[in-house]
Amino acid sequence: MTKKVCIAGATGWAGSALTKAVHAQTDMEVAGAVSRTRKGEKLAEVLGLEKTDVIITDSVTRQLLADARVLVEFTKPDVAMTHIMTALDAGVHVVVGTSGLTDADYAQIHEKALEKKVGVLAAGNFALTVVLLQKFSEIAARYIPQWEIIDYAGDAKKDSPSGTARELAFRLSQVRQPQLTVPLADTQGPVEARGADMTGSQVHSIRLPGFTLSSEIIFGMPDQTLTIRHDAGTSAQPYVDGALLAIRKVDTFTGLRRGLDHVMDLDA
């Protein structure tokens, strides 16, 4: 059976690559496309696709989702929650790749998804290397009691920290809380210099020209450190492969799951 997919952010950097990929799949179909900057235009003309009559809209509505099985949310934090809640109210499964949503947002999404008996798979980053960074970090946190997260991105990225850093901090909080030698309250000087406290982890966001996206976590013990780092390239392909997997798997469970590893076999 062909899975019908609505993509919010269909003409963006990652969204356009994903839209083209969904259109090329034999088991998927682009059933709707959302872009505030290309409203009213034909998706086929904007992205150079064949055999689709989808007209781009500027928001996610129940009417747009009438035939959709899955909504992919790849827009901005200021509209993402509205899109996600609209989809859940319509009984549509959701794949979330939008950065900047908070733990409180995700708690609300989980509650609504359970109520509507649909699945939501959220990933701050769909790249396989990020999935492995998260898993390796969870293992390291079992043995090393102190760590800090560094989040790198270009100067134009508004959300800080990134969704990848937020997700990593949240996942580590499920393992343990880091044991700071000097409590933040005892910091001499501006406490902000120690980074932001994200569910117990200190997170430092760097926004400078020259960076694409990178995530780094440094674990420290006496006389030794461990650094795990992911660096993104300029292509959206790593995110596309993960998002396609998420689309195929999001209707196999109920409620919210954070992290692509939840639908991957990484236990072997």
Side-chain angles (χ1 to χ4, degrees):
M1 173 184 271
T2 301
K3 184 171 290 186
K4 295 189 176 182
V5 183
C6 177
I7 302 172
T11 63
W13 176 69
S16 60
L18 177 61
T19 302
K20 293 176 182 178
V22 169
H23 182 68
Q25 305 304 302
T26 58
D27 60 338
M28 299 181 191
E29 175 186 341
V30 179
V34 176
S35 170
R36 287 186 287 187
T37 61
R38 309 305 292 263
K39 175 187 177 182
E41 297 184 52
K42 296 179 180 179
L43 186 65
E45 295 178 358
V46 173
L47 296 185
L49 304 180
E50 297 180 354
K51 298 179 181 179
T52 178
D53 56 1
V54 170
I55 303 298
I56 300 171
T57 66
D58 63 350
S59 64
V60 174
T61 63
R62 291 182 72 104
Q63 181 179 1
L64 178 69
L65 296 170
D67 294 327
R69 176 74 173 172
V70 177
L71 169 72
V72 178
E73 169 50 45
F74 264 24
T75 61
K76 303 290 184 182
D78 60 333
V79 296
M81 278 297 288
T82 299
H83 290 171
I84 294 167
M85 299 308 279
T86 298
L88 295 180
D89 280 328
V92 174
H93 304 277
V94 184
V95 171
V96 183
T98 301
S99 192
L101 297 179
T102 67
D103 292 334
D105 292 330
Y106 283 123
Q108 184 179 350
I109 290 168
H110 181 54
E111 181 178 357
K112 178 64 72 171
L114 290 176
E115 175 190 336
K116 296 297 181 177
K117 295 182 174 58
V118 295
V120 179
L121 182 57
N125 196 308
F126 285 102
L128 177 60
T129 48
V130 169
V131 175
L132 295 175
L133 177 146
Q134 292 169 342
K135 296 298 289 186
F136 296 157
S137 296
E138 289 174 327
I139 294 170
R142 298 175 194 164
Y143 301 97
I144 306 177
Q146 295 191 52
W147 62 82
E148 301 204 8
I149 299 169
I150 307 175
D151 160 44
Y152 303 87
D155 57 311
K157 186 173 179 62
K158 292 182 178 181
D159 56 300
S160 298
S162 68
T164 303
R166 286 178 182 271
E167 187 174 302
L168 178 57
F170 172 79
R171 293 168 69 101
L172 292 174
S173 74
Q174 306 302 296
V175 178
R176 66 152 82 179
Q177 291 291 303
Q179 301 171 12
L180 298 181
T181 302
V182 178
L184 294 178
D186 295 338
T187 299
Q188 295 182 4
V191 70
E192 293 83 3
R194 294 288 291 110
D197 183 339
M198 305 293 298
T199 55
S201 294
Q202 298 308 118
V203 181
H204 310 263
S205 289
I206 295 174
R207 298 290 180 265
L208 287 172
F211 285 105
T212 303
L213 291 170
S214 299
S215 297
E216 181 176 77
I217 181 166
I218 304 173
F219 292 89
M221 297 178 71
D223 293 325
Q224 56 187 319
T225 62
L226 169 66
T227 300
I228 307 174
R229 178 174 171 129
H230 156 80
D231 292 291
T234 58
S235 166
Q237 192 57 45
Y239 315 113
V240 169
D241 294 340
L244 289 175
L245 174 62
I247 292 169
R248 290 189 170 102
K249 296 290 188 177
V250 69
D251 58 359
T252 62
F253 58 87
T254 300
L256 169 71
R257 296 189 183 180
R258 293 177 66 175
L260 189 62
D261 60 296
H262 288 292
V263 294
M264 298 173 65
D265 183 9
L266 296 178
D267 295 328

